[in-house]
Amino acid sequence: MTDEHHGDASPVDAVLAALADPTRRQLLDLLAELGETTATTLAERLPVSRQAVVKHLAVLDAAGLVGGHRAGREVRYAVRPAALNTTARWMAALASDWDRRLATIKRLAEAAEREAAPGEVEPGGA
């Protein structure tokens, strides 16, 4: 990671840790599909208990990926995209850094190849 991205490390780490679990990724997908809904509704669509769903939602909430609010006797959960957007920006910046590094390596390799004596046979060549 470059210095300019260190400030995003904690939220990004929390998001990546939360998304490491396939059940939490399924929950996030379901919430994106269904919109605001309850843990009970989510549990009906997954092979885990409602209590397990609530625990997974707590991890997603701590990472800033979902939020819940009380509506009468129910707690309704919804996706909060800000933390995911921050993580996506961090990943894009990281990919861009690597693209720049690989382009530099390519330029250096091509320059070295051009500088090889024209009559010289490359190792393994004919």
Side-chain angles (χ1 to χ4, degrees):
M1 224 169 6
T2 61
D3 288 340
E4 64 188 299
H5 303 297
H6 281 298
D8 293 339
S10 183
V12 168
D13 289 349
V15 168
L16 293 176
L19 294 178
D21 184 278
T23 301
R24 289 194 283 269
R25 290 192 304 270
Q26 282 183 296
L27 280 169
L28 205 55
D29 286 343
L30 278 172
L31 281 169
E33 176 188 330
L34 300 173
E36 190 177 277
T37 192
T38 65
T40 302
T41 301
L42 293 166
E44 290 169 355
R45 294 175 165 242
L46 294 170
V48 296
S49 68
R50 182 189 175 286
Q51 291 79 9
V53 167
V54 170
K55 287 180 181 181
H56 284 298
L57 287 168
V59 173
L60 292 169
D61 186 22
L65 293 168
V66 302
H69 70 89
R70 189 160 286 285
R73 295 177 47 201
E74 298 178 327
V75 176
R76 300 190 63 80
Y77 295 90
V79 173
R80 293 189 338 214
L84 198 54
N85 291 340
T86 298
T87 303
R89 283 192 305 275
W90 173 79
M91 292 175 81
L94 186 64
S96 178
D97 287 347
W98 276 105
D99 287 345
R100 273 193 300 280
R101 291 175 185 156
L102 291 172
T104 299
I105 291 169
K106 180 181 178 191
R107 278 194 308 277
L108 291 171
E110 288 171 346
E113 190 176 272
R114 283 191 303 272
E115 290 174 7
E120 190 176 306
V121 176
E122 295 290 325

